[in-house]
Amino acid sequence: DGGITQSPKYLFRKEGQNVTLSCEQNLNHDAMYWYRQDPGQGLRLIYYSQIVNDFQKGDIAEGYSVSREKKESFPLTVTSAQKNPTAFYLCASSIPGPVNQPQHFGDGTRLSIL
Amino acid sequence: AQKITQTQPGMFVQEKEAVTLDCTYDTSDPSYGLFWYKQPSSGEMIFLIYQGSYDQQNATEGRYSLNFQKARKSANLVISASQLGDSAMYFCAMREGTLGSNYQLIWGAGTKLIIKP
């Protein structure tokens, strides 16, 4: 079955540490996205990528970095510069182009500070 | 300015009753799409239903239907015969086809729906 796999499901970060969240998709989608969700809130866009080797900042990119070396993979690194990283992180992918294409999501990663 | 507004932070509904979740939007783009997603407590985001700005009929998917009133810029989700498993957060989102940047979705703040047995 095609889908999006996020790992790990739970992640703990120590002060001053960078951590990387994995996102892999086998839907053959060109576009991929990272969102942050705080408790009781909606989704905020961190980064997105429309094509391999290209990505753009979203609304809250500070303290995060991404890479897109392969179509299937879009890892997110939460750097030590992100002072409040505790949140739920969702990765999504979609077919770019037609407006009727939904984004498909992984199951998310919950990140907490130790 | 808010582009997607969901005015109901939370709702309680009796099992088997129908429920309407409100969503209003704001855009000057003639081409846009509206999406509803369900997020259970486990966290995954599940796509439910889509309505395009040029669609002549309201979208339906099983027990989900969309009450699309273009002139009022509203796209309310209707869930018929609610079930306990419908308890979740529900998000409305919009994608602008011409003016929108890079296929991004614009998200509402969500409505928490609780179905009472």
Side-chain angles (χ1 to χ4, degrees), chain A residues 95-113:
Chain A
I95 298 171
V99 73
N100 65 349
Q101 293 300 315
Q103 291 183 10
H104 299 272
F105 286 80
D107 289 344
T109 293
R110 295 191 187 275
L111 175 61
S112 301
I113 292 282

Side-chain angles (χ1 to χ4, degrees), chain B residues 8-26:
Chain B
Q8 307 149 310
M11 287 185 72
F12 287 90
V13 172
Q14 201 68 39
E15 189 181 9
K16 298 181 184 175
E17 288 183 352
V19 56
T20 298
L21 304 180
D22 295 342
C23 174
T24 58
Y25 60 92
D26 183 25

Side-chain angles (χ1 to χ4, degrees), chain A residues 25 28-33 47-56 66-74 94-96, chain B residues 102-103:
Chain A
Q25 55 101 357
N28 200 33
H29 288 167
D30 283 310
M32 296 187 74
Y33 314 81
Y47 269 98
Y48 62 96
S49 168
Q50 298 173 71
I51 198 166
V52 173
N53 293 323
D54 183 63
F55 48 83
Q56 307 294 329
V66 293
S67 63
R68 185 86 187 277
E69 297 176 1
K70 298 187 299 182
K71 186 175 184 177
E72 303 79 22
S73 178
F74 191 40
S94 74
I95 298 171
Chain B
N102 303 309
Y103 324 117

